[in-house]
Amino acid sequence: MEYSFSKSVEALSSSAVREILKLTQGNQVLSLAGGLPAEDSFPIAEMREAFDRSFDLGAKALQYGLTDGYLPLREWVAERMKQKQMNVGVDNMLLTTGSQQAVDLLCRVYLDEGDVVLVENPTYLAAVQLFQFRGIRAIPVDGDDEGMDLEDLAAKIAKYRPKMAYVIPTFANPTGKVWSMERRLGLLKQCKENNILILEDDPYGEIQFDGSAPYRSIFSLDEHPTDSCVVYTSTFSKIVAPGLRTGWAIGDTRVIQMMVKAKQAVDLQSSTIDQIALHQLLSRFDLESHIAKIRASYKDRMEWMHELMTKQQWDGVTWEKPRGGMFLWVNLPENVDSEKLLALSVKEGVAFVPGKPFYAEEAKSNTIRLNYTLLNKEDTELAITRLGKALAQYQQQNQAVTQA
């Protein structure tokens, strides 16, 4: 059989993270690669009880449900969003199979092949992968630690006439940066004036280390949430458990209902039993206390990794301590190719994600992303030690080639 795949697969690449995760399965390779939450943060006993209670609803728990999602769970999410100054109802919301599906569905209904979406550079690699797969042009906007540069944003809007902007303004993946209020408002203003839809991806916003700093979502800053130029998406993966694959999108009803139609064609609906069980959990579970514990644990792990890396005293290696999220974004010396370093690192027994896949354009080969949330302190120390050995080997090999 000679298989004849569609032209779109020519642009389809494997996820760098998923491929690296294969290297860490069933052996002694410690992973700093995936964006995996700590497994000791999962409410296993409470989740088991929630699934048991779900069957009190009888066969309904195993039946088909609404494409929009389980209504009581949508109502719960809507109430919690109001606490974050996002005043929406259930008609403005769609439950999705993880927030990644929300990104995909919006691209399906809003962007055609050849359309332009503005992005940060670097940005979430799965979004870059999705844009490439669908023939969407991802154009990077210059930025700094406070977000997109508003002058370059205006220039890119004028030059490319984009249809959408994709941003992660709070504890971005992979950089961990947090946009300033000025940049959030600036993006919102320019996009509203130019009829550009903003996709605000917020999977990490709850994982905040610096107390009660007010990181308002861009969606909440829009004075007209029922006619908004923003679609906001988030997930329960980082605050409950990723295996539930439950996320949500909120926006204007016209956009959400188009996404509902697309979801009907994609998978009909997300899992009924998982949504019901999640609602059962949230109805009795102190989520705020649970999130507070996650924040404290992850901050401790981040500080530990930062301390370990500082003690290594690697020449030419720099990073910024994140104020939240799950990642350290590391700049290596310019002569280091992180993909070649990964090969040495895996032999030493540690994996990370090279930075190249996170860039829409002008990829920097001397960057890496490290996850600090999965491993315990002992394994993190061992992983950083192994990474140091691999980096030393790389520099020695590079020096030998230079001298030859």
Side-chain angles (χ1 to χ4, degrees):
M1 175 69 187
E2 293 186 6
Y3 296 104
S4 180
F5 293 104
S6 67
K7 291 183 179 179
S8 60
V9 302
E10 294 176 2
L12 185 60
S13 58
S14 298
S15 166
V17 175
R18 298 297 155 187
E19 292 301 313
I20 293 168
L21 285 176
K22 291 179 183 179
L23 300 175
T24 67
Q25 300 298 307
N27 54 38
Q28 298 303 309
V29 177
L30 296 172
S31 178
L32 302 174
L36 277 64
E39 294 179 359
D40 58 13
S41 72
F42 299 161
I44 295 175
E46 295 87 347
M47 202 72 241
R48 181 183 291 114
E49 293 174 2
F51 271 101
D52 287 341
R53 289 195 302 273
S54 298
F55 289 102
D56 292 342
L57 278 68
K60 180 181 178 181
L62 299 175
Q63 187 55 278
Y64 284 116
L66 297 174
T67 302
D68 312 57
Y70 184 53
L71 180 58
L73 181 56
R74 281 190 286 146
E75 292 173 336
W76 188 96
V77 173
E79 285 301 311
R80 194 158 194 279
M81 292 298 95
K82 289 177 182 178
Q83 299 172 21
K84 299 177 181 296
Q85 298 175 274
M86 290 184 271
N87 296 310
V88 294
V90 294
D91 292 336
N92 299 99
M93 182 182 308
L94 165 66
L95 297 182
T96 57
T97 306
S99 58
Q100 175 70 16
Q101 187 182 55
V103 180
D104 178 51
L105 292 175
L106 186 59
C107 287
R108 286 172 184 263
V109 303
Y110 207 76
L111 299 174
D112 292 313
E113 184 176 350
D115 281 344
V116 171
V117 56
L118 299 182
V119 298
E120 301 165 87
N121 206 37
T123 189
Y124 178 43
L125 61 83
V128 173
Q129 182 184 20
L130 174 62
F131 299 146
Q132 292 172 341
F133 178 47
R134 298 206 171 280
I136 298 162
R137 293 186 65 194
I139 300 296
V141 176
D142 293 343
D144 54 28
D145 289 341
E146 294 193 350
M148 282 184 173
D149 179 275
L150 297 181
E151 291 186 4
D152 191 55
L153 173 64
K156 295 291 171 59
I157 289 175
K159 181 177 181 179
Y160 293 102
R161 309 309 302 171
K163 199 170 181 183
M164 192 170 81
Y166 171 79
V167 295
I168 313 172
T170 309
F171 315 133
N173 180 1
T175 62
K177 71 171 60 173
V178 180
W179 285 37
S180 68
M181 181 62 77
E182 177 190 4
R183 302 292 178 86
R184 293 171 194 247
L185 289 170
L187 174 71
L188 181 62
K189 181 176 184 294
Q190 291 196 40
C191 287
K192 287 179 76 74
E193 290 175 348
N194 291 279
N195 199 43
I196 299 168
L197 186 67
I198 300 170
L199 175 52
E200 179 180 16
D201 200 357
D202 186 30
Y204 310 102
E206 299 278 10
I207 308 174
Q208 180 179 343
F209 302 152
D210 49 354
S212 57
Y215 298 135
R216 290 277 299 275
S217 69
I218 297 173
F219 184 93
S220 73
L221 296 171
D222 195 337
E223 296 178 355
H224 304 285
T226 58
D227 187 31
S228 180
C229 72
V230 185
V231 173
Y232 172 95
T233 183
S234 190
T235 178
F236 287 101
S237 293
K238 311 302 187 292
I239 58 174
V240 179
L244 292 168
R245 305 307 303 131
T246 304
W248 67 91
I250 59 177
D252 182 88
T253 54
R254 292 167 292 177
V255 179
I256 294 300
Q257 286 308 306
M258 282 296 181
M259 293 173 68
V260 169
K261 291 180 181 179
K263 185 170 171 61
Q264 289 170 352
V266 170
D267 66 357
L268 296 182
Q269 61 161 108
S270 298
S271 166
T272 300
I273 185 65
D274 288 342
Q275 293 179 57
I276 292 175
L278 181 55
H279 179 254
Q280 289 290 330
L281 174 79
L282 297 171
S283 298
R284 305 189 185 190
F285 187 59
D286 188 346
L287 182 64
E288 300 305 326
S289 294
H290 181 67
I291 292 173
K293 292 178 182 177
I294 291 174
R295 288 171 175 166
S297 173
Y298 289 1
K299 181 179 181 181
D300 186 48
R301 294 178 193 221
M302 180 275 293
E303 294 281 5
W304 178 237
M305 179 177 285
H306 170 73
E307 179 182 339
L308 292 169
M309 291 171 63
T310 301
K311 289 180 178 178
Q312 289 278 337
Q313 296 183 328
W314 294 323
D315 289 338
V317 178
T318 62
W319 65 91
E320 295 290 334
K321 282 181 66 175
R323 288 177 276 172
M326 301 174 65
F327 307 110
L328 275 176
W329 182 245
V330 182
N331 294 285
L332 303 172
E334 291 188 2
N335 66 338
V336 176
D337 185 320
S338 59
E339 293 181 344
K340 294 179 180 178
L341 176 63
L342 176 62
L344 291 174
S345 297
V346 170
K347 291 180 180 180
E348 285 294 328
V350 62
F352 57 81
V353 184
K356 279 186 179 180
F358 295 95
Y359 290 89
E361 290 181 1
E362 300 175 354
K364 295 183 179 180
S365 61
N366 64 321
T367 54
I368 64 175
R369 191 194 73 177
L370 303 179
N371 167 263
Y372 50 75
T373 60
L374 177 63
L375 301 181
N376 59 35
K377 284 192 171 184
E378 182 180 359
D379 285 341
T380 298
E381 183 171 12
L382 183 56
I384 295 301
T385 299
R386 290 175 176 179
L387 180 58
K389 290 180 180 179
L391 185 58
Q393 288 180 33
Y394 185 98
Q395 296 287 36
Q396 290 172 2
Q397 292 179 6
N398 195 53
Q399 185 176 11
V401 170
T402 303
Q403 293 175 348

